[in-house]
Amino acid sequence: METDFLVIGSGIAGLAFAVESAAYGKVTIITKKGRSEANTNYAQGGIAAAIDSNDSIEYHIKDTLNTGAGLCNEKAVRIMVTEAPSIIKRLCELGVDFTKAKNGKLDLGMEGGHSMRRIVHTKDATGAQIENSLLHNTSSEGITLLEDWIAIDLILKDGKCIGVWALDEKNNKIFSIFSKIILIATGGAGSVYLHTTNPSIATGDGISMGYRAGATIANMEFVQFHPTTFYGKKIGERALLLSEAIRGEGGILKTSKGNTFMEKYDARKELACRDIVARAIHFELKNTDTDYVLLDVTHLGEKFVNKFPNIYNSCLSLGLDPLKEPIPVVPAAHYLCGGILTDLDGKTNIPNLYVAGESACTGVHGANRLASNSLLESIVFGFRAAKSAIGEIKKIHLENSTSTSIKNNLNSSICDNNIISEYLSDIRFIMWEKVGIVRNTKDLEDALSKISQYKIEIDALYEKHAISYALVELRNVVNTALLITKCAIMRKESRGLHYVLDYLAKDDILYNRDTVISNNS
Ligand code: FAD
Ligand code: SIN
């Protein structure tokens, strides 16, 4: 199969790239499940943009840099934040129906770490609204979108990326897809952890593929844990997120005995940055030996139902009426700040290979992401990558290299699903227990040794058995877990999301820099 622009992943980053490049060549998107099954589809709070008359680009930049704890690339932040207002306009043109206030202007929500109300949203289902609008545009542009196709590995020739190996799951066939430009937009890696807000697709596939191919990876230790997810019951494999915007509207955190506690940790209380709130909850649970804290919205009454209708209904479906009793909440893995290192146009160190969205490390988040900056980053840098690729494509000759091959052993035996599930559960448990919100060197070393051993065993399983969807994901999960753990060990300080009991201070002399790792180093 051949194409001009190959997009791996159909979340906001991949779709933005596809829509932007459609007029300049044949665009093919492959996505490993149904077209809308992506983190994007579950995004609640919204997308940050300084559009209020009291707000300014400089305030948004300042909040982003403060949250990033000294590690943001200021140039990248400035680009993202400056482009935000026009991105909101463009999304409206693409059909996104954002919620309006009574005065007819866009309603602006509030989230942790922001000094102003600046979260543009569609009630509490912003991601689904954006995903559907972009998908609609993708189909009206005549873009080919292949569902249930999972990318396995990048194809390289003479150091350049020329395509990808992919499994067409429905037909159980492996194909090479050759392309002039390849975009990785495979999202994050929440599923590497036992408890996560992410759907099961988030297994770090693109980052692992990139790593195996020699792409430079950065800042994998900065895993963001969302402070508030429903305790004890899941929706499928996902923890139900209780949007930070709920605290922006007055939701209060309390211990299970009903006492407030955030005032002990930060003057901004419930609206401190996410790392601070998640850690505060972690310590409260540990100190009081309880399993959850409470998010109290009972005083918000109908305002809660109007602002958060989907969350309200999800709580009801889990057997709790948030207007009658506080919601039991715990933190869960939510977002990966690190990824494949890119320049300001989504380019990687491998020619013709671009990355955008949660798989990328553009530098805008540094050591901690400001709430609602992720949809923004994905679309800003998705569009920028497309613009750069459009400029490059005229110079690129399509390679159709018959000399490349993959371990194509679909006729070998299928790996037992129980074995795969056992490895997955073990890795997720280890990551949760030992590479979580609060870390220590002994646990990190222990995790490194166990996960390294699992990697050897899983790579052997992969070699021996037929390539399958589950095996491809397992191979990526173990690799991503290892990258997170290795980066966490390399950073011997506490900064932003990386909090290590043995190194509680921030060390600006030795560690005011990205943690960079590659297969070649
Ligand atoms: P995704 O949207 O995750 O898309 C990845 C795509 O790649 C999917 O289509 C997936 O199936 C596909 N894929 C993965 N691996 C492969 C493979 N091997 N082969 C083929 N296809 C593959 N951010 C905000 O800014 N504001 C919010 O309000 C917000 N709320 C959130 C709420 C929840 C519950 C979650 C989970 C996240 C939230 N985030 C929010 C974060 C934000 O949604 C994501 O960071 C963003 O959507 C990432 O977009 P993406 O395009 O990079 O990846
Ligand atoms: C939320 O709604 O709390 C999620 C926002 C984000 O992850 O940016």
Side-chain angles (χ1 to χ4, degrees):
M1 198 181 293
E2 293 177 1
T3 190
D4 294 317
F5 301 93
L6 174 64
V7 177
I8 312 172
S10 59
I12 183 170
L15 295 177
F17 179 99
V19 167
E20 192 74 3
S21 46
Y24 300 88
K26 182 170 164 32
V27 181
T28 304
I29 305 173
I30 59 169
T31 194
K32 71 177 175 180
K33 282 204 165 176
R35 58 190 60 211
S36 62
E37 189 56 1
N39 276 7
T40 302
N41 206 35
Y42 298 94
Q44 294 180 347
I47 174 163
I51 55 174
D52 188 73
S53 54
N54 293 319
D55 202 356
S56 78
I57 298 294
E58 293 308 318
Y59 291 159
H60 189 178
I61 290 175
K62 193 169 163 214
D63 292 344
T64 304
L65 296 177
N66 279 345
T67 306
L71 271 203
C72 296
N73 172 343
E74 193 167 341
K75 220 169 167 186
V77 172
R78 189 162 284 281
I79 287 174
M80 176 182 79
V81 169
T82 308
E83 289 188 17
S86 60
I87 286 288
I88 299 297
K89 246 194 209 160
R90 176 88 191 273
L91 282 171
C92 292
E93 284 159 17
L94 289 168
V96 177
D97 186 13
F98 289 120
T99 301
K100 304 228 172 41
K102 283 199 184 109
N103 62 10
K105 292 187 175 166
L106 290 176
D107 186 52
L108 299 176
M110 182 67 177
E111 291 182 349
H114 289 274
S115 55
M116 294 279 166
R117 291 187 85 89
R118 65 166 74 98
I119 316 299
V120 180
H121 62 102
T122 306
K123 295 223 180 224
D124 57 353
T126 314
Q129 176 65 212
I130 294 177
E131 179 75 18
N132 288 334
S133 301
L134 288 175
L135 279 172
H136 180 74
N137 283 276
T138 310
S139 65
S140 59
E141 293 283 357
I143 291 166
T144 305
L145 195 157
L146 302 171
E147 295 178 302
D148 302 310
W149 278 59
I150 183 166
I152 304 166
D153 267 316
L154 299 170
I155 306 175
L156 296 188
K157 191 179 172 204
D158 303 329
K160 291 185 204 147
C161 187
I162 59 165
V164 71
W165 290 106
L167 171 68
D168 167 8
E169 222 210 334
K170 279 187 197 144
N171 296 306
N172 198 32
K173 278 197 175 141
I174 291 175
F175 289 93
S176 50
I177 310 175
F178 294 101
S179 183
K180 292 179 182 170
I181 296 283
I182 296 91
L183 175 82
I184 289 178
T186 52
S191 298
V192 164
Y193 283 86
L194 184 60
H195 302 293
T196 179
T197 62
N198 293 189
S200 63
I201 53 101
T203 47
D205 293 4
I207 296 169
S208 288
M209 279 191 292
Y211 178 77
R212 285 192 290 270
T216 306
I217 313 289
N219 292 354
M220 295 292 282
E221 68 273 37
F222 297 117
V223 176
Q224 185 170 69
F225 292 81
H226 198 290
T228 54
T229 71
F230 200 99
Y231 165 73
K233 290 182 186 166
K234 289 192 176 173
I235 299 187
E237 286 179 34
R238 248 176 347 110
L240 171 66
L241 181 73
L242 282 314
S243 174
E244 195 153 315
I246 297 175
R247 278 174 277 131
E249 296 303 329
I252 301 171
L253 288 168
K254 295 179 175 172
T255 64
S256 55
K257 291 215 167 88
N259 302 316
T260 60
F261 58 87
M262 273 313 300
E263 63 279 0
K264 287 191 290 185
Y265 296 91
D266 195 284
R268 293 166 293 181
K269 297 193 256 185
E270 275 75 5
L271 289 177
C273 299
R274 228 169 247 184
D275 58 330
I276 294 169
V277 183
R279 270 198 301 276
I281 295 176
H282 175 95
F283 288 126
E284 285 299 318
L285 297 182
K286 212 165 161 31
N287 295 342
T288 56
D289 201 18
T290 43
D291 292 334
Y292 57 82
V293 295
L294 299 169
L295 176 62
D296 192 352
V297 299
T298 51
H299 54 292
L300 298 181
E302 279 309 303
K303 177 180 166 190
F304 181 77
V305 184
N306 290 334
K307 292 249 174 203
F308 307 105
N310 297 289
I311 296 174
Y312 176 67
N313 283 324
S314 298
C315 286
L316 291 182
S317 75
L318 294 178
L320 182 135
D321 183 345
L323 298 193
K324 296 200 175 126
E325 54 184 316
I327 311 164
V329 294
V330 285
H334 181 62
Y335 182 83
L336 185 61
C337 292
I340 301 176
L341 199 63
T342 67
D343 70 5
L344 300 175
D345 292 318
K347 280 187 186 171
T348 68
N349 59 316
I350 300 180
N352 309 342
L353 179 68
Y354 286 74
V355 187
E358 202 169 329
S359 305
C361 182
T362 59
V364 294
H365 307 308
N368 185 18
R369 174 176 68 96
L370 181 66
S372 286
N373 264 357
S374 170
L375 292 174
L376 179 61
E377 178 203 24
S378 301
I379 195 159
V380 165
F381 289 94
F383 281 150
R384 288 180 72 86
K387 286 194 184 96
S388 166
I390 290 162
E392 295 277 308
I393 200 161
K394 296 166 214 126
K395 297 180 254 162
I396 302 170
H397 168 70
L398 183 76
E399 301 269 0
N400 182 341
S401 177
T402 45
S403 64
T404 52
S405 66
I406 193 171
K407 175 193 84 90
N408 192 348
N409 59 354
L410 287 174
N411 294 327
S412 311
S413 66
I414 302 283
C415 186
D416 183 345
N417 263 336
N418 291 326
I419 297 178
I420 294 181
S421 301
E422 256 178 55
Y423 273 119
L424 274 179
S425 309
D426 279 2
I427 295 164
R428 288 172 176 160
F429 182 77
I430 292 169
M431 292 302 285
W432 183 256
E433 290 290 318
K434 296 182 186 286
V435 199
I437 300 172
V438 172
R439 302 167 175 176
N440 68 71
T441 305
K442 187 184 165 302
D443 279 354
L444 290 176
E445 297 282 2
D446 197 22
L448 180 68
S449 129
K450 291 198 166 102
I451 294 168
S452 302
Q453 178 56 32
Y454 281 165
K455 180 160 180 345
I456 293 169
E457 294 169 19
I458 290 166
D459 283 348
L461 277 185
Y462 183 81
E463 283 310 313
K464 189 167 146 207
H465 292 95
I467 290 176
S468 66
Y469 182 104
L471 203 48
V472 168
E473 279 197 341
L474 177 66
R475 178 182 181 229
N476 293 328
V477 163
V478 75
N479 190 53
T480 307
L482 200 53
L483 290 172
I484 294 171
T485 310
K486 279 185 178 170
C487 287
I489 288 176
M490 285 160 77
R491 183 172 290 280
K492 298 191 188 314
E493 64 156 358
S494 290
R495 182 189 293 269
L497 296 161
H498 180 62
Y499 189 86
V500 199
L501 292 172
D502 317 63
Y503 306 102
L504 282 177
K506 183 147 86 100
D507 181 347
D508 275 334
I509 297 174
L510 288 177
Y511 292 105
N512 196 7
R513 55 174 166 78
D514 291 336
T515 308
V516 176
I517 186 165
S518 90
N519 209 4
N520 311 320
S521 59

